[in-house]
Coordinates of all heavy atoms in Angstrom, one line a residue:
M15 N -5.0 2.5 -2.3 CA -4.1 2.3 -3.5 C -4.8 2.0 -4.7 O -4.3 1.7 -5.7 CB -3.1 1.2 -3.1 CG -1.9 1.2 -4.1 SD -0.5 0.5 -3.2 CE 0.6 0.2 -4.7
A16 N -6.2 2.0 -4.6 CA -7.0 1.7 -5.8 C -6.8 2.9 -6.8 O -6.5 4.0 -6.4 CB -8.4 1.5 -5.5
G17 N -7.0 2.7 -8.1 CA -6.9 3.7 -9.1 C -8.0 4.8 -9.0 O -8.9 4.6 -8.2
G18 N -7.9 5.8 -9.8 CA -9.0 6.8 -9.9 C -8.9 7.7 -8.7 O -9.9 7.9 -8.0
L19 N -7.8 8.4 -8.5 CA -7.6 9.2 -7.4 C -8.6 10.4 -7.3 O -9.1 10.7 -6.3 CB -6.2 9.8 -7.4 CG -5.5 10.0 -6.0 CD1 -5.5 8.8 -5.2 CD2 -4.1 10.5 -6.2
T20 N -8.9 11.0 -8.5 CA -9.8 12.1 -8.5 C -11.2 11.7 -8.1 O -11.8 12.5 -7.4 CB -9.8 12.8 -9.9 OG1 -9.8 11.8 -10.9 CG2 -8.6 13.7 -10.1
E21 N -11.6 10.6 -8.6 CA -12.9 10.1 -8.2 C -13.0 9.9 -6.7 O -14.0 10.3 -6.0 CB -13.3 8.7 -8.8 CG -13.6 8.8 -10.3 CD -13.5 7.4 -10.9 OE1 -14.1 6.5 -10.3 OE2 -12.9 7.3 -12.0
E22 N -12.0 9.3 -6.1 CA -11.9 9.0 -4.7 C -12.0 10.3 -3.9 O -12.6 10.4 -2.9 CB -10.7 8.2 -4.3 CG -10.9 6.7 -4.7 CD -9.6 6.0 -4.9 OE1 -8.6 6.6 -4.5 OE2 -9.6 4.9 -5.4
K23 N -11.3 11.4 -4.4 CA -11.2 12.6 -3.7 C -12.6 13.3 -3.7 O -12.9 14.0 -2.8 CB -10.2 13.5 -4.3 CG -8.8 13.3 -3.8 CD -7.8 14.3 -4.2 CE -6.4 14.1 -3.5 NZ -5.3 14.6 -4.2
A24 N -13.4 13.0 -4.7 CA -14.7 13.7 -4.8 C -15.7 13.0 -3.8 O -16.7 13.6 -3.5 CB -15.2 13.6 -6.2
M25 N -15.4 11.8 -3.4 CA -16.2 11.1 -2.5 C -16.1 11.6 -1.1 O -15.1 12.2 -0.8 CB -15.9 9.6 -2.5 CG -16.4 8.8 -3.7 SD -15.7 7.2 -3.9 CE -15.8 6.5 -2.2
T26 N -17.2 11.5 -0.4 CA -17.1 12.0 1.0 C -16.6 10.9 1.9 O -17.4 10.2 2.6 CB -18.5 12.4 1.5 OG1 -19.4 11.4 1.2 CG2 -19.0 13.7 0.8
T27 N -15.3 10.8 2.0 CA -14.7 9.8 2.9 C -14.1 10.6 4.0 O -13.6 11.7 3.9 CB -13.6 9.0 2.2 OG1 -12.8 9.8 1.4 CG2 -14.2 7.9 1.3
T28 N -14.0 9.9 5.2 CA -13.5 10.6 6.4 C -12.0 10.4 6.6 O -11.3 11.2 7.2 CB -14.3 10.2 7.6 OG1 -14.3 8.8 7.7 CG2 -15.7 10.7 7.5
S29 N -11.5 9.3 6.1 CA -10.1 8.9 6.3 C -9.6 8.0 5.2 O -10.3 7.6 4.4 CB -9.9 8.3 7.7 OG -10.7 7.2 7.8
S30 N -8.3 7.7 5.3 CA -7.7 6.7 4.4 C -7.0 5.7 5.2 O -6.5 5.9 6.3 CB -6.8 7.4 3.4 OG -5.8 8.1 4.1
C31 N -6.8 4.5 4.5 CA -6.1 3.4 5.1 C -4.6 3.8 5.4 O -4.0 4.3 4.6 CB -6.2 2.2 4.2 SG -5.2 0.8 4.8
D32 N -4.2 3.5 6.6 CA -2.8 3.9 7.0 C -1.8 2.9 6.3 O -0.6 3.2 6.4 CB -2.7 3.7 8.6 CG -3.0 5.0 9.3 OD1 -3.4 6.0 8.6 OD2 -2.8 5.0 10.5
S33 N -2.3 1.9 5.7 CA -1.4 0.9 5.1 C -1.2 1.1 3.6 O -0.2 1.0 3.1 CB -1.8 -0.5 5.4 OG -1.2 -1.5 4.6
C34 N -2.4 1.4 2.9 CA -2.3 1.5 1.5 C -2.9 2.8 1.0 O -2.7 3.1 -0.2 CB -3.0 0.4 0.8 SG -4.8 0.4 1.0
G35 N -3.5 3.6 1.8 CA -4.0 5.0 1.3 C -5.4 4.9 0.7 O -5.9 6.0 0.3
M36 N -6.0 3.8 0.7 CA -7.3 3.7 0.1 C -8.3 4.4 1.0 O -8.2 4.3 2.3 CB -7.7 2.2 0.0 CG -8.9 2.0 -0.9 SD -9.2 0.3 -1.3 CE -10.3 -0.1 0.0
P37 N -9.3 5.2 0.5 CA -10.3 5.8 1.3 C -11.1 4.8 2.1 O -11.6 3.8 1.5 CB -11.1 6.6 0.3 CG -10.3 6.7 -0.9 CD -9.5 5.5 -0.9
I38 N -11.3 5.0 3.4 CA -12.2 4.2 4.2 C -13.1 5.0 5.0 O -12.8 6.2 5.2 CB -11.3 3.2 5.1 CG1 -10.3 4.1 5.8 CG2 -10.7 2.1 4.3 CD1 -9.5 3.2 6.8
E39 N -14.2 4.4 5.4 CA -15.2 5.2 6.2 C -14.8 5.3 7.7 O -15.1 6.3 8.3 CB -16.5 4.6 6.0 CG -17.1 4.9 4.7 CD -18.5 4.2 4.4 OE1 -19.1 3.8 5.4 OE2 -18.9 4.1 3.3
S40 N -14.2 4.3 8.2 CA -13.8 4.3 9.6 C -12.7 3.4 9.9 O -12.3 2.5 9.1 CB -15.0 3.9 10.5 OG -15.4 2.6 10.2
G41 N -12.1 3.5 11.0 CA -10.9 2.6 11.4 C -9.6 3.1 10.8 O -9.5 4.2 10.3
R42 N -8.6 2.3 11.0 CA -7.3 2.7 10.5 C -6.9 2.1 9.2 O -6.1 2.6 8.4 CB -6.2 2.3 11.6 CG -5.8 3.3 12.5 CD -4.6 2.9 13.3 NE -3.3 3.2 12.6 CZ -2.1 2.9 13.1 NH1 -2.0 2.2 14.2 NH2 -1.0 3.3 12.5
Y43 N -7.4 0.9 9.0 CA -7.0 0.1 7.8 C -8.2 -0.4 7.0 O -9.3 -0.6 7.5 CB -6.2 -1.1 8.2 CG -5.0 -0.8 9.1 CD1 -5.0 -1.3 10.4 CD2 -4.0 0.0 8.6 CE1 -3.9 -1.0 11.2 CE2 -2.9 0.3 9.5 CZ -2.9 -0.2 10.8 OH -1.8 0.2 11.6
C44 N -8.0 -0.5 5.7 CA -9.1 -1.1 4.8 C -9.1 -2.6 5.0 O -8.3 -3.2 5.5 CB -8.8 -0.6 3.4 SG -7.5 -1.6 2.6
G45 N -10.2 -3.2 4.3 CA -10.3 -4.6 4.4 C -9.3 -5.4 3.7 O -9.1 -6.6 4.0
Y46 N -8.6 -4.8 2.7 CA -7.5 -5.5 2.0 C -6.2 -5.7 2.8 O -5.5 -6.6 2.6 CB -7.2 -4.8 0.7 CG -8.3 -4.7 -0.3 CD1 -9.0 -3.5 -0.4 CD2 -8.7 -5.8 -1.0 CE1 -10.1 -3.4 -1.3 CE2 -9.8 -5.7 -1.8 CZ -10.5 -4.5 -2.0 OH -11.6 -4.4 -2.9
C47 N -6.1 -4.8 3.8 CA -4.8 -4.8 4.5 C -4.9 -5.5 5.8 O -3.9 -5.6 6.5 CB -4.3 -3.3 4.8 SG -3.9 -2.5 3.2
T48 N -6.0 -6.0 6.1 CA -6.2 -6.7 7.4 C -6.6 -8.1 7.2 O -7.1 -8.5 6.2 CB -7.3 -6.0 8.2 OG1 -8.5 -5.9 7.4 CG2 -6.9 -4.6 8.7
D49 N -6.3 -9.0 8.3 CA -6.7 -10.4 8.2 C -8.2 -10.5 8.8 O -8.8 -9.5 9.0 CB -5.7 -11.2 9.0 CG -5.7 -10.8 10.5 OD1 -6.6 -10.2 11.0 OD2 -4.6 -11.2 11.1
E50 N -8.6 -11.7 8.9 CA -10.0 -12.0 9.4 C -10.3 -11.3 10.7 O -11.5 -11.0 11.0 CB -10.3 -13.5 9.5 CG -9.8 -14.3 8.3 CD -8.4 -14.6 8.4 OE1 -7.9 -15.2 9.4 OE2 -7.6 -14.2 7.4
S51 N -9.3 -11.2 11.6 CA -9.6 -10.6 12.9 C -9.5 -9.1 12.9 O -9.6 -8.5 13.9 CB -8.6 -11.2 13.9 OG -7.3 -10.9 13.6
G52 N -9.2 -8.5 11.8 CA -9.0 -7.1 11.7 C -7.6 -6.5 12.0 O -7.5 -5.3 12.0
A53 N -6.7 -7.4 12.2 CA -5.3 -7.0 12.5 C -4.6 -6.7 11.2 O -4.9 -7.3 10.1 CB -4.6 -8.1 13.2
L54 N -3.7 -5.7 11.2 CA -2.9 -5.4 10.0 C -2.1 -6.6 9.6 O -1.4 -7.3 10.4 CB -2.0 -4.2 10.3 CG -1.1 -3.7 9.2 CD1 -2.0 -3.1 8.0 CD2 -0.1 -2.7 9.7
Q55 N -2.1 -6.9 8.3 CA -1.2 -8.0 7.7 C 0.3 -7.6 7.9 O 0.6 -6.5 8.1 CB -1.6 -8.2 6.3 CG -3.0 -8.8 6.1 CD -3.4 -8.8 4.6 OE1 -2.6 -8.4 3.8 NE2 -4.6 -9.1 4.4
S56 N 1.1 -8.6 7.7 CA 2.5 -8.4 7.8 C 3.1 -7.6 6.7 O 2.4 -7.5 5.6 CB 3.3 -9.8 7.8 OG 3.2 -10.4 6.5
F57 N 4.2 -7.0 6.9 CA 4.9 -6.2 5.8 C 5.1 -7.1 4.6 O 4.8 -6.6 3.5 CB 6.3 -5.8 6.3 CG 7.0 -5.1 5.2 CD1 6.9 -3.7 5.0 CD2 7.9 -5.8 4.4 CE1 7.6 -3.1 4.0 CE2 8.7 -5.1 3.4 CZ 8.5 -3.8 3.2
E58 N 5.6 -8.3 4.7 CA 5.8 -9.2 3.6 C 4.6 -9.4 2.8 O 4.6 -9.4 1.6 CB 6.4 -10.5 4.0 CG 7.8 -10.4 4.6 CD 8.8 -9.8 3.7 OE1 8.7 -9.9 2.4 OE2 9.8 -9.1 4.1
E59 N 3.4 -9.7 3.5 CA 2.2 -9.9 2.8 C 1.7 -8.7 2.0 O 1.4 -8.8 0.9 CB 1.1 -10.2 3.9 CG -0.3 -10.4 3.4 CD -0.6 -11.8 2.9 OE1 0.1 -12.7 3.4 OE2 -1.4 -11.9 2.0
R60 N 1.8 -7.5 2.7 CA 1.4 -6.3 2.0 C 2.3 -6.0 0.8 O 1.9 -5.5 -0.2 CB 1.3 -5.1 3.0 CG 0.2 -5.1 4.0 CD -1.1 -5.6 3.4 NE -1.5 -4.8 2.2 CZ -2.4 -5.2 1.3 NH1 -2.9 -6.4 1.4 NH2 -2.7 -4.5 0.3
F61 N 3.6 -6.1 1.1 CA 4.6 -5.8 0.0 C 4.4 -6.7 -1.2 O 4.4 -6.2 -2.3 CB 6.0 -6.1 0.6 CG 7.1 -5.7 -0.4 CD1 7.4 -4.4 -0.6 CD2 7.8 -6.7 -1.1 CE1 8.4 -4.0 -1.6 CE2 8.8 -6.4 -2.0 CZ 9.1 -5.0 -2.2
A62 N 4.1 -8.0 -1.0 CA 3.8 -8.9 -2.1 C 2.6 -8.5 -2.8 O 2.6 -8.5 -4.1 CB 3.7 -10.4 -1.6
R63 N 1.5 -8.2 -2.1 CA 0.3 -7.8 -2.8 C 0.4 -6.5 -3.5 O 0.0 -6.4 -4.7 CB -0.8 -7.6 -1.7 CG -1.2 -8.8 -1.0 CD -2.2 -9.7 -1.7 NE -2.6 -10.8 -0.8 CZ -3.7 -10.7 -0.1 NH1 -4.5 -9.7 -0.1 NH2 -4.0 -11.8 0.7
M64 N 1.1 -5.5 -2.9 CA 1.3 -4.3 -3.7 C 2.2 -4.4 -4.9 O 2.0 -3.7 -5.9 CB 1.9 -3.2 -2.7 CG 0.9 -2.7 -1.7 SD 1.5 -1.2 -0.8 CE 0.5 -1.2 0.7
A65 N 3.2 -5.3 -4.8 CA 4.1 -5.5 -5.9 C 3.3 -6.1 -7.0 O 3.5 -5.8 -8.2 CB 5.3 -6.4 -5.5
A66 N 2.5 -7.1 -6.7 CA 1.6 -7.7 -7.8 C 0.7 -6.7 -8.4 O 0.5 -6.7 -9.6 CB 0.8 -8.9 -7.2
W67 N 0.2 -5.8 -7.6 CA -0.7 -4.8 -8.1 C 0.0 -3.8 -9.0 O -0.4 -3.5 -10.1 CB -1.4 -4.1 -6.9 CG -2.3 -3.0 -7.3 CD1 -3.7 -3.2 -7.5 CD2 -2.1 -1.6 -7.4 NE1 -4.3 -1.9 -7.7 CE2 -3.3 -1.0 -7.7 CE3 -0.9 -0.8 -7.2 CZ2 -3.4 0.4 -7.9 CZ3 -1.0 0.5 -7.4 CH2 -2.3 1.1 -7.7
Q68 N 1.2 -3.4 -8.5 CA 2.0 -2.5 -9.3 C 2.5 -3.1 -10.6 O 2.5 -2.4 -11.7 CB 3.2 -2.0 -8.4 CG 4.1 -1.0 -9.1 CD 3.4 0.4 -9.3 OE1 2.4 0.6 -8.7 NE2 3.9 1.2 -10.2
A69 N 2.8 -4.4 -10.6 CA 3.2 -5.1 -11.8 C 2.1 -5.1 -12.8 O 2.4 -5.1 -14.1 CB 3.7 -6.5 -11.4
R70 N 0.9 -5.2 -12.4 CA -0.2 -5.2 -13.3 C -0.4 -3.8 -13.9 O -0.8 -3.6 -15.1 CB -1.5 -5.6 -12.6 CG -1.7 -7.1 -12.5 CD -3.1 -7.6 -12.2 NE -3.6 -6.9 -11.0 CZ -3.4 -7.4 -9.8 NH1 -2.8 -8.5 -9.6 NH2 -4.0 -6.8 -8.8
R71 N -0.2 -2.8 -13.1 CA -0.3 -1.4 -13.6 C 0.7 -1.0 -14.6 O 0.5 -0.2 -15.4 CB -0.2 -0.5 -12.4 CG -1.5 -0.1 -11.7 CD -1.3 1.0 -10.7 NE -1.4 2.3 -11.2 CZ -0.7 3.4 -10.7 NH1 0.2 3.2 -9.8 NH2 -0.9 4.6 -11.2
D72 N 1.9 -1.6 -14.3 CA 3.1 -1.2 -15.1 C 3.9 -2.4 -15.6 O 4.9 -2.8 -15.1 CB 4.0 -0.3 -14.2 CG 5.1 0.4 -15.0 OD1 5.2 0.2 -16.2 OD2 5.9 1.1 -14.3
P73 N 3.3 -3.2 -16.6 CA 3.8 -4.5 -17.0 C 5.2 -4.4 -17.6 O 5.9 -5.4 -17.6 CB 2.8 -4.9 -18.1 CG 1.6 -4.0 -18.0 CD 2.1 -2.8 -17.3
A74 N 5.6 -3.2 -18.1 CA 6.9 -3.1 -18.7 C 8.0 -2.9 -17.7 O 9.2 -3.1 -18.0 CB 6.9 -1.9 -19.6
A75 N 7.7 -2.6 -16.4 CA 8.8 -2.4 -15.4 C 9.4 -3.7 -15.0 O 8.8 -4.7 -15.0 CB 8.1 -1.7 -14.2
S76 N 10.7 -3.6 -14.6 CA 11.4 -4.8 -14.1 C 11.0 -5.0 -12.7 O 10.4 -4.1 -12.0 CB 12.9 -4.6 -14.2 OG 13.2 -3.5 -13.2
Q77 N 11.2 -6.2 -12.2 CA 10.9 -6.6 -10.8 C 11.6 -5.6 -9.9 O 11.0 -5.2 -8.9 CB 11.3 -8.0 -10.5 CG 10.9 -8.5 -9.2 CD 9.4 -8.6 -9.0 OE1 8.7 -8.7 -9.9 NE2 9.0 -8.5 -7.7
Q78 N 12.8 -5.2 -10.2 CA 13.5 -4.3 -9.3 C 12.9 -3.0 -9.3 O 12.7 -2.4 -8.2 CB 15.0 -4.2 -9.9 CG 16.0 -3.6 -8.9 CD 17.4 -3.5 -9.5 OE1 17.5 -3.6 -10.7 NE2 18.3 -3.4 -8.7
D79 N 12.4 -2.5 -10.4 CA 11.7 -1.2 -10.5 C 10.4 -1.3 -9.7 O 10.0 -0.3 -8.9 CB 11.3 -0.8 -11.9 CG 12.5 -0.3 -12.7 OD1 13.5 0.1 -12.0 OD2 12.5 -0.2 -13.9
I80 N 9.7 -2.4 -9.9 CA 8.4 -2.6 -9.1 C 8.7 -2.5 -7.6 O 8.0 -1.8 -6.9 CB 7.8 -3.9 -9.5 CG1 7.4 -4.0 -11.0 CG2 6.6 -4.2 -8.6 CD1 6.3 -3.1 -11.4
E81 N 9.7 -3.2 -7.2 CA 9.9 -3.2 -5.7 C 10.3 -1.9 -5.2 O 9.9 -1.4 -4.1 CB 11.0 -4.3 -5.4 CG 10.5 -5.7 -5.7 CD 11.5 -6.8 -5.2 OE1 12.5 -6.4 -4.7 OE2 11.1 -7.9 -5.5
R82 N 11.1 -1.1 -6.0 CA 11.5 0.2 -5.6 C 10.2 1.1 -5.5 O 10.0 1.9 -4.6 CB 12.5 0.8 -6.5 CG 13.1 2.1 -6.1 CD 14.2 2.7 -7.0 NE 13.8 2.5 -8.4 CZ 12.9 3.2 -9.1 NH1 12.3 4.2 -8.5 NH2 12.7 3.0 -10.4
Q83 N 9.4 1.0 -6.5 CA 8.1 1.8 -6.5 C 7.2 1.5 -5.3 O 6.7 2.4 -4.7 CB 7.4 1.6 -7.9 CG 8.0 2.2 -9.1 CD 7.5 1.7 -10.4 OE1 6.5 0.9 -10.4 NE2 8.2 2.0 -11.5
V84 N 7.1 0.2 -5.0 CA 6.3 -0.2 -3.9 C 6.9 0.4 -2.6 O 6.2 0.9 -1.7 CB 6.1 -1.7 -3.8 CG1 5.4 -2.1 -2.5 CG2 5.3 -2.2 -5.0
L85 N 8.2 0.3 -2.4 CA 8.8 0.8 -1.2 C 8.7 2.3 -1.1 O 8.4 2.8 0.0 CB 10.3 0.4 -1.2 CG 10.6 -1.1 -0.9 CD1 12.1 -1.4 -1.0 CD2 10.1 -1.5 0.5
D86 N 8.8 3.0 -2.2 CA 8.6 4.4 -2.2 C 7.2 4.8 -1.8 O 7.0 5.7 -1.1 CB 8.9 5.0 -3.6 CG 10.4 5.2 -3.9 OD1 11.2 5.0 -3.0 OD2 10.7 5.4 -5.1
Y87 N 6.3 4.0 -2.3 CA 4.8 4.2 -1.9 C 4.6 4.0 -0.5 O 4.0 4.7 0.3 CB 3.9 3.4 -2.8 CG 2.5 3.7 -2.5 CD1 1.9 4.8 -3.2 CD2 1.7 2.9 -1.7 CE1 0.6 5.1 -2.9 CE2 0.4 3.2 -1.5 CZ -0.2 4.3 -2.1 OH -1.5 4.7 -1.8
M88 N 5.2 2.8 0.0 CA 5.0 2.5 1.4 C 5.6 3.5 2.3 O 5.2 3.6 3.5 CB 5.5 1.0 1.7 CG 4.7 0.0 1.0 SD 5.3 -1.7 1.1 CE 4.3 -2.3 2.5
A89 N 6.6 4.2 1.9 CA 7.3 5.2 2.7 C 6.4 6.4 3.0 O 6.6 7.2 3.9 CB 8.6 5.7 2.0
T90 N 5.3 6.5 2.2 CA 4.3 7.6 2.4 C 3.2 7.1 3.3 O 2.3 7.9 3.7 CB 3.7 8.1 1.1 OG1 2.9 7.1 0.5 CG2 4.8 8.4 0.1
M91 N 3.2 5.8 3.7 CA 2.1 5.3 4.5 C 2.5 5.2 6.0 O 3.5 4.7 6.3 CB 1.8 3.9 4.0 CG 1.1 3.8 2.6 SD -0.5 4.7 2.6 CE -0.2 5.9 1.4
P92 N 1.6 5.8 6.9 CA 1.9 5.7 8.3 C 2.2 4.4 8.9 O 3.1 4.2 9.8 CB 0.7 6.3 8.9 CG 0.0 7.1 7.9 CD 0.4 6.4 6.6
A93 N 1.6 3.3 8.3 CA 1.8 2.0 8.9 C 3.2 1.4 8.5 O 3.6 0.5 9.2 CB 0.7 1.0 8.3
W94 N 3.8 1.9 7.5 CA 5.0 1.3 7.0 C 6.2 2.2 6.9 O 7.3 1.7 6.7 CB 4.8 0.7 5.6 CG 3.6 -0.2 5.5 CD1 2.5 0.0 4.8 CD2 3.4 -1.4 6.2 NE1 1.6 -1.1 4.9 CE2 2.2 -1.9 5.8 CE3 4.2 -2.2 7.1 CZ2 1.7 -3.2 6.3 CZ3 3.8 -3.4 7.6 CH2 2.5 -3.8 7.2
R95 N 6.1 3.5 7.1 CA 7.2 4.4 6.8 C 8.4 4.2 7.7 O 9.5 4.5 7.4 CB 6.8 5.9 6.8 CG 6.2 6.4 8.1 CD 5.7 7.8 7.9 NE 4.9 8.2 9.0 CZ 3.9 9.0 8.9 NH1 3.6 9.6 7.8 NH2 3.2 9.4 10.0
D96 N 8.1 3.6 8.9 CA 9.2 3.3 9.8 C 9.7 1.9 9.8 O 10.6 1.5 10.5 CB 8.8 3.7 11.3 CG 8.5 5.1 11.5 OD1 9.1 6.0 10.8 OD2 7.6 5.4 12.2
H97 N 9.2 1.1 8.8 CA 9.6 -0.3 8.7 C 11.1 -0.4 8.2 O 11.4 0.4 7.3 CB 8.7 -1.0 7.8 CG 8.9 -2.5 7.8 ND1 9.9 -3.1 7.1 CD2 8.2 -3.5 8.5 CE1 9.8 -4.4 7.3 NE2 8.8 -4.7 8.2
P98 N 11.9 -1.3 8.8 CA 13.3 -1.4 8.3 C 13.5 -1.6 6.8 O 14.4 -1.0 6.2 CB 13.8 -2.6 9.1 CG 12.9 -2.8 10.2 CD 11.5 -2.2 9.8
R99 N 12.6 -2.3 6.2 CA 12.7 -2.5 4.7 C 12.5 -1.2 4.0 O 13.1 -1.0 2.9 CB 11.7 -3.6 4.3 CG 12.1 -5.0 4.5 CD 13.2 -5.5 3.6 NE 12.9 -5.4 2.1 CZ 12.1 -6.2 1.4 NH1 11.6 -7.3 2.0 NH2 11.9 -6.1 0.1
V100 N 11.6 -0.4 4.5 CA 11.3 0.9 3.8 C 12.5 1.9 4.1 O 12.9 2.6 3.2 CB 10.0 1.4 4.3 CG1 9.7 2.9 3.8 CG2 8.8 0.5 3.9
Q101 N 12.9 1.9 5.4 CA 14.0 2.7 5.8 C 15.3 2.4 5.0 O 16.1 3.3 4.7 CB 14.3 2.6 7.3 CG 13.1 3.1 8.1 CD 13.1 4.6 8.4 OE1 14.1 5.1 8.8 NE2 12.1 5.2 8.1
A102 N 15.5 1.1 4.7 CA 16.7 0.7 4.1 C 16.7 0.8 2.6 O 17.7 0.6 1.9 CB 17.0 -0.8 4.4
R103 N 15.6 1.3 2.0 CA 15.5 1.3 0.5 C 16.5 2.3 -0.1 O 16.9 3.2 0.5 CB 14.1 1.6 0.1 CG 13.7 3.1 0.1 CD 12.2 3.2 -0.1 NE 11.9 4.6 -0.4 CZ 11.8 5.6 0.5 NH1 12.1 5.4 1.8 NH2 11.5 6.8 0.1
Ligands
ZN203 ZN1 -5.3 -0.7 3.0

C-alpha cells in the first residue's frame, strides 16, 4: 500500500503482501501487517492504520469517505476480502 506503484512494478519482487498489497520478497505478509511473532495483525489494527494512512494521502476527505476507501481497498486483499466488515460495506 506504499505509494509509487510504477516504481514498485519495475522492481523485481516475487510477491505482494496479502494484507496491504505491498511488494515483499517472501512470505505472505509484509512487516507492517504482522506482529513481533510474524502473525497477521487484527482487522481493527490494520483498518485503523490504513485509515490513518489514507487520511494523510487525502486530507480533504471526510472520515466516512476514508473508511469507505479503506474497505474498498481491503476488499481487493486476499487477507481481508472475506472479512464481515468488508463484506458488509
Ligand atoms: Zn502488508
Side-chain angles (χ1 to χ4, degrees):
M15 195 154 167
L19 212 56
T20 40
E21 287 165 46
E22 283 157 10
K23 275 191 176 153
M25 281 164 47
T26 50
T27 46
T28 52
S29 58
S30 58
C31 175
D32 271 3
S33 166
C34 73
M36 194 170 94
I38 48 176
E39 286 178 18
S40 62
R42 263 191 90 183
Y43 308 115
C44 73
Y46 297 105
C47 294
T48 50
D49 62 19
E50 314 80 58
S51 65
L54 182 64
Q55 291 168 4
S56 70
F57 174 87
E58 293 301 332
E59 175 85 27
R60 290 316 309 157
F61 183 77
R63 297 273 186 97
M64 286 192 201
W67 181 86
Q68 183 66 19
R70 280 197 302 275
R71 266 187 93 210
D72 193 358
S76 68
Q77 184 64 25
Q78 199 178 15
D79 282 345
I80 295 293
E81 292 186 1
R82 186 177 43 76
Q83 287 163 10
V84 171
L85 287 174
D86 282 350
Y87 186 79
M88 290 176 101
T90 68
M91 291 296 125
W94 306 116
R95 63 186 165 210
D96 296 327
H97 191 279
R99 280 286 304 278
V100 174
Q101 295 276 307
R103 81 192 194 284

